[in-house]
Amino acid sequence: MSFNKRGFGAVIATIMLILMVVIGISILWTLSSTFFKEKETALDTGTNSLIYTRGDNNENANVAGDIGGQPGGSSSSSSSSSSSSSSSSSSSSGGAPACTDSDSGRIYTVRGTVTCGSQSYTDSCTSASVLKEYYYDSGIDDQNSESVSCDSGKECVDGACITSSSEGDSGDGRNSENAGLSCKSIKSSFSSSTDGLYWVNPDGSGAFQVYCDMATDGGGWTLLMRISSTSTDHVLYPQFGSLPCIDNQENTLCKVSGENMNKFLAQTGTQIIKIKPDDSQYVSWYVRSTSNTEIWPDNLNCYYRNTLNNNQNSRWILTSYPTYNDANQETNGVTGGCTTSGYYYPTPFTSGEIPGHWMFFRPSGSTSNSAKGLGVGKTWVTSSGGQKLAAQGTLWIK
């Protein structure tokens, strides 16, 4: 048998060619892995899928949503990174954060605004199903943003992911056409409703948005006020702040109009008002309205107690209850007798007591010139210890 050198050489050449191809592919794979190793795609937040891509390639940030920069454009992103470093440095030396976030971070169901110095960035919709969410990262001391794909069944409207209008049912509050009477009526008819913004139309005169707590004490609470710990706004003005009020504990103060508050009070059945301190160490208290002619008084000053008591449509504000069940069942009520000017109802304090906590507004005290706001306590109506002279909080109706 003769040895064929030509055939053997062809086999060797073929093997060498295959090895070269394999080596080339391996090199290309290594290079591509290195290039794309900084890419982040389709991050799962648990409730929404983030569709942005983040990396060194500014072109990607411009197309799908930037992080830590101005919206869109590689030059804006670069300048923001520079300003972030500067802002962080300034914040560290000054001791105060450079930015505030009205919706407390990545809350996709509420439109929020991040304010950094004189610059503001408000959540917006880039399409019917994609939200551009701005948020504040305290580690960077600058605004950040991400593009968020709304969950199934939701759409992006006015800078928030809300339940799609195409799936709305009469009275479910998912859009103005299907507005409910109140958060209470929505929760009663649609038990699976969760916390968030809803449309209500209490008297049929026009729909508006409110924030609903659909969990506490059976749910159905409508937020009417966010109360400061340093001002009398909530007792002196019929309406203020950015509406709708949202429950964000960022000291973003707000109050729905007195007219709309009275629309809720005019509804059939018992209406419970809850005054809730933000600090969970301190206890909420309650008042109840039972007649559809009762109103939220224009003047709550304790000095006008007799005027409040002599008006059948305002005297309800004088009796406070320690729990929701007490208010609902009209048990353990304490009728306030406070007549001290500068203090405000609702309060359970009676004549002869020194007003301290359990005040809808307590002015400056001898212990602190800035001790204004809700007077609250850790236990119900006690004059010893556990009180806080200045607190912020919220007021709800159900």
Side-chain angles (χ1 to χ4, degrees), residues 45 48-52 64-71 100-114 121-127 129-137 142-150 156-161 246:
T45 64
N48 295 275
S49 295
L50 309 190
I51 63 169
Y52 67 83
D66 59 299
I67 298 293
Q70 303 287 340
T100 59
D101 191 348
S102 69
D103 64 357
S104 303
R106 304 183 195 186
I107 301 179
Y108 306 131
T109 56
V110 174
R111 183 181 67 174
T113 298
V114 174
Y121 309 87
T122 301
D123 301 342
S124 60
C125 300
T126 58
S127 74
S129 62
V130 178
L131 164 71
K132 191 172 188 68
E133 171 79 9
Y134 288 95
Y135 63 95
Y136 165 53
D137 187 339
D142 200 359
Q143 63 86 14
N144 290 291
S145 67
E146 63 194 18
S147 290
V148 180
S149 179
C150 295
C156 191
V157 176
D158 196 24
C161 289
I246 58 173

Side-chain angles (χ1 to χ4, degrees), residues 115-351:
T115 301
C116 299
S118 61
Q119 299 297 315
S120 294
Y121 309 87
T122 301
D123 301 342
S124 60
C125 300
T126 58
S127 74
S129 62
V130 178
L131 164 71
K132 191 172 188 68
E133 171 79 9
Y134 288 95
Y135 63 95
Y136 165 53
D137 187 339
S138 59
I140 299 178
D141 278 341
D142 200 359
Q143 63 86 14
N144 290 291
S145 67
E146 63 194 18
S147 290
V148 180
S149 179
C150 295
D151 283 343
S152 176
K154 293 193 174 185
E155 60 184 349
C156 191
V157 176
D158 196 24
C161 289
I162 64 173
T163 303
S164 174
S165 58
S166 62
E167 297 186 7
D169 295 313
S170 178
D172 67 3
R174 298 179 181 181
N175 51 68
S176 58
E177 291 77 16
N178 292 311
L181 290 175
S182 65
C183 297
K184 180 180 178 180
S185 74
I186 294 170
K187 183 65 175 180
S188 177
S189 299
F190 303 91
S191 59
S192 62
S193 299
T194 57
D195 297 355
L197 289 174
Y198 290 83
W199 288 90
V200 296
N201 191 350
D203 66 348
S205 63
F208 54 94
Q209 279 188 299
V210 294
Y211 184 89
C212 299
D213 173 356
M214 296 303 198
T216 306
D217 288 323
W221 294 96
T222 302
L223 180 61
L224 300 182
M225 300 184 199
R226 169 147 284 285
I227 300 167
S228 170
S229 63
T230 58
S231 80
T232 55
D233 288 352
H234 62 293
V235 292
L236 294 185
Y237 297 105
Q239 176 181 328
F240 62 87
S242 178
L243 299 177
C245 287
I246 58 173
D247 187 23
N248 60 5
Q249 297 195 12
E250 283 289 316
N251 207 27
T252 304
L253 307 180
C254 52
K255 177 183 178 180
V256 305
S257 69
E259 178 184 4
N260 283 340
M261 290 179 66
N262 287 331
K263 290 178 182 178
F264 289 113
L265 289 171
Q267 292 184 343
T268 303
T270 300
Q271 312 299 321
I272 306 296
I273 299 283
K274 172 173 63 175
I275 302 158
K276 178 186 177 185
D278 284 349
D279 191 335
S280 60
Q281 296 183 77
Y282 299 92
V283 187
S284 301
W285 79 101
Y286 304 78
V287 289
R288 58 179 271 136
S289 168
T290 57
S291 170
N292 59 8
T293 63
E294 291 174 337
I295 60 171
W296 184 261
D298 291 331
N299 193 333
L300 296 168
N301 198 313
C302 287
Y303 181 77
Y304 292 97
R305 183 188 185 284
N306 288 337
T307 300
L308 293 170
N309 189 46
N310 291 332
N311 187 329
Q312 64 178 356
N313 292 325
S314 63
R315 65 167 63 109
W316 64 276
I317 202 77
L318 300 178
T319 303
S320 298
Y321 300 85
T323 70
Y324 169 67
N325 286 336
D326 285 326
N328 205 30
Q329 298 169 17
E330 201 172 3
T331 57
N332 300 316
V334 179
T335 300
C338 178
T339 57
T340 305
S341 181
Y343 297 83
Y344 290 78
Y345 284 103
T347 174
F349 273 86
T350 58
S351 180

Side-chain angles (χ1 to χ4, degrees), residues 9-21:
V11 171
I12 294 299
T14 301
I15 292 173
M16 293 297 292
L17 180 60
I18 292 172
L19 288 173
M20 292 175 66
V21 170

